[in-house]
Amino acid sequence: MAQFMSKVALVTGGASGIGRATVLAFAQHGAKVVVADMDEAGGNETVALARAANTDALFVRTDVSQAAQVQALIAAAVEQFGRIDFALNNAGIAGNQALLADYPEESWDRVIDINLKGVWLCMKYELQQMLKQGGGVIVNTSSTAGQSGSRGVAAYVASKHGVVGLTKAAALEYARKNIRVNAILPGTIHTPLIDTFTGGDDRIMQQFVEAEPIGRLGRPEEAANAVIWLCSDGASFVTGATLAVDGGRLA
């Protein structure tokens, strides 16, 4: 089980959902973990859960859309643990729901800043550290919306398509530097983000369920398992890939 003993994993958006599940999966595999999020209470709770799994853990409050805060996050991780072997760039928001012609500009900017610029900033400084230490693995959280359209959430769709593009570009740029870069494309995973989309409306939730060929929502742990595999030696020849964890939705 402890395939990541002596390794260090960084997870943004680690206070809940896929991020928290991935932190705990890394911990169960023996890695030290760094949890980044704007939600201090949730982030510290994730750290407590990781420590309960007998691993070292650190929380750093981080707004991923701010370069100085991302730099501080990477510096804190390296100061505490000496390196960053794995990174899951997972922080993201749903944004407003409105038709494109009616979409508020300030909402567009916020979604792009967090979901796309935030991933770019995290990769920028993670890559700098990984180059110094001789390698590493980055996984970005895109979405099935990174390969298909969806009505009413144009900013979210655009941001997640952008994450796929960033992933492929970085994978090619650093393929010969012992750094692999991949993305997961979660389908409808039952997380707080989905509750944001549904607004507590059971009918909308049922529509999400019916859209999944497998007939149910995904669990955060199922997305986390994909991240763990992409970071493992079992995926040593995998870079620039987009791995759908979507119950068959894209199919």
Side-chain angles (χ1 to χ4, degrees):
M1 275 298 284
Q3 63 174 321
F4 297 148
M5 194 66 70
S6 80
K7 302 291 188 180
V8 180
L10 166 67
V11 177
T12 69
S16 63
I18 292 171
R20 173 176 287 179
T22 304
V23 168
L24 299 182
F26 274 125
Q28 289 159 7
H29 285 276
K32 301 177 180 68
V33 290
V34 180
V35 180
D37 207 294
M38 289 288 287
D39 177 0
E40 292 189 49
N44 284 315
E45 185 177 340
T46 300
V47 164
L49 291 168
R51 287 174 177 162
N54 296 314
T55 195
D56 289 339
L58 171 70
F59 172 70
V60 182
R61 186 182 185 277
T62 309
D63 178 347
V64 297
S65 71
Q66 301 299 311
Q69 293 192 35
V70 175
Q71 285 181 282
L73 165 66
I74 302 305
V78 174
E79 180 181 3
Q80 183 83 2
F81 296 128
R83 58 188 296 112
I84 300 171
D85 297 286
F86 313 120
L88 173 65
N89 298 316
N90 171 74
I93 61 171
N96 283 32
Q97 295 190 47
L99 294 178
L100 194 148
D102 303 317
Y103 206 89
E105 184 177 354
E106 61 273 17
S107 299
W108 171 275
D109 288 344
R110 178 165 159 74
V111 172
I112 297 300
D113 277 353
I114 294 172
N115 291 10
L116 183 55
K117 180 185 176 184
V119 170
W120 169 67
L121 284 172
C122 287
M123 291 174 70
K124 178 182 175 74
Y125 296 110
E126 290 157 1
L127 284 163
Q128 290 178 10
Q129 173 58 32
M130 289 176 177
L131 287 167
K132 289 178 188 175
Q133 68 194 32
V137 182
I138 293 173
V139 180
N140 298 319
T141 300
S142 179
S143 166
T144 52
Q147 287 192 352
S148 64
S150 188
R151 297 180 182 89
V153 286
Y156 183 81
V157 171
S159 72
K160 293 303 185 177
H161 271 70
V163 168
V164 169
L166 276 178
T167 298
K168 292 180 177 181
L172 293 175
E173 290 178 359
Y174 298 97
R176 297 197 178 185
K177 297 293 185 181
N178 196 34
I179 299 172
R180 295 189 294 106
V181 187
N182 296 291
I184 58 168
L185 310 180
T188 309
I189 310 293
H190 202 169
T191 68
L193 186 66
I194 292 304
D195 295 331
T196 299
F197 274 121
T198 65
D201 189 324
D202 290 340
R203 292 171 301 174
I204 298 176
M205 181 65 80
Q206 188 57 36
Q207 289 173 4
F208 277 121
V209 172
E210 290 172 357
E212 290 291 349
I214 207 167
R216 64 171 175 83
L217 300 188
R219 299 186 298 274
E221 295 77 16
E222 292 173 312
N225 288 339
V227 176
I228 294 299
W229 179 73
L230 286 169
C231 290
S232 74
D233 289 342
S236 57
F237 200 56
V238 179
T239 195
T242 52
L243 177 57
V245 188
D246 68 345
R249 188 167 186 171
L250 283 174

